[in-house]
Amino acid sequence: MNREPHHLIEEGDTPMTWTSYRTRGEILRAVISEADARRDGLLPWDVEGVADSFGDELTLLGALQLRWHTRLAGRIERELMARPMAFEDAVVDAWRATAAELPGVRAIVDHHRAHPLDDAMALAMDKAVAKERILLAVMAGQASAHDAGAAAVGARLEEKARTGWVLAPVPEPTTPTSLLGRLKAAFAA
């Protein structure tokens, strides 16, 4: 007996299998790696398999935003465990550390926040920014999730985290030092 909830699947849609889920995860990791290497703020749409796995820019941006948010939330938790009485400092330091870990993702999120491709992306980014700011405020112990001013408090914390944080430049390619490395470089040229 097929127990698949057909009412949740639109006609023409296919449910995501474990294999496609794993493949999408691998492609997302490749996208993040490429974004970290480029740090230009643009979605790496040229990574193999991206178009097939994500379909459009908003879906890919949403996956990157989710990766940023979950990494940030986890980092905040770890910082608070290490320094349970330094709420604001822990949140600020966690934001900076997450930005250092995911510089390409941070650059993409910032770019598309300032320059959304369309109204749907602008709306999605506005919601994501508000949720992130509320998270910052709540975890810093300065607001509850239901406070009308929580996002404003979080904006202040985000600004504090950004102060002094600079997106590291893209590292220069290193010159291969081994014989094999030099041979590979020569064949690539």
Side-chain angles (χ1 to χ4, degrees), residues 55-124:
D56 61 24
E57 289 87 353
L58 182 57
T59 304
L60 178 57
L61 180 60
L64 292 170
Q65 179 70 45
L66 180 61
R67 180 62 55 101
W68 163 262
H69 188 82
T70 54
R71 184 76 56 94
L72 175 62
R75 176 65 77 158
I76 291 171
E77 289 285 340
R78 286 190 303 278
E79 291 289 334
L80 287 171
M81 286 176 55
R83 300 179 295 165
M85 300 309 292
F87 298 124
E88 184 170 322
D89 290 341
V91 167
V92 167
D93 291 347
W95 192 98
R96 289 176 180 160
T98 306
E101 279 180 39
L102 296 172
V105 173
R106 186 70 251 165
I108 289 170
V109 169
D110 287 344
H111 175 80
H112 288 86
R113 182 169 146 186
H115 308 288
L117 299 177
D118 55 26
D119 291 340
M121 186 177 283
L123 180 63

Side-chain angles (χ1 to χ4, degrees), residues 9-189:
I9 299 173
E10 298 291 323
E11 189 172 326
D13 284 352
T14 54
M16 186 175 277
T17 65
W18 175 247
T19 302
S20 60
Y21 176 78
R22 283 189 49 217
T23 301
R24 185 173 170 151
E26 290 167 6
I27 292 170
L28 184 61
R29 282 188 289 282
V31 163
I32 291 169
S33 178
E34 186 64 26
D36 286 345
R38 293 181 189 176
R39 298 183 198 172
D40 60 4
L42 303 177
L43 288 167
W45 201 249
D46 57 332
V47 170
E48 187 178 338
V50 169
D52 293 334
S53 292
F54 293 94
D56 61 24
E57 289 87 353
L58 182 57
T59 304
L60 178 57
L61 180 60
L64 292 170
Q65 179 70 45
L66 180 61
R67 180 62 55 101
W68 163 262
H69 188 82
T70 54
R71 184 76 56 94
L72 175 62
R75 176 65 77 158
I76 291 171
E77 289 285 340
R78 286 190 303 278
E79 291 289 334
L80 287 171
M81 286 176 55
R83 300 179 295 165
M85 300 309 292
F87 298 124
E88 184 170 322
D89 290 341
V91 167
V92 167
D93 291 347
W95 192 98
R96 289 176 180 160
T98 306
E101 279 180 39
L102 296 172
V105 173
R106 186 70 251 165
I108 289 170
V109 169
D110 287 344
H111 175 80
H112 288 86
R113 182 169 146 186
H115 308 288
L117 299 177
D118 55 26
D119 291 340
M121 186 177 283
L123 180 63
M125 292 308 295
D126 288 347
K127 286 182 180 180
V129 168
K131 287 182 179 189
E132 179 178 327
R133 289 177 173 173
I134 290 168
L135 171 73
L136 296 174
V138 169
M139 298 304 281
Q142 297 179 8
S144 80
H146 304 292
D147 288 348
V153 171
R156 183 188 60 75
L157 292 167
E158 179 187 352
E159 185 59 35
K160 184 176 180 181
R162 285 179 183 274
T163 302
W165 174 78
V166 178
L167 181 63
V170 177
E172 291 293 323
T174 57
T175 306
T177 56
S178 70
L179 176 61
L180 180 60
R182 289 194 305 266
L183 288 172
K184 284 181 180 178
F187 283 122

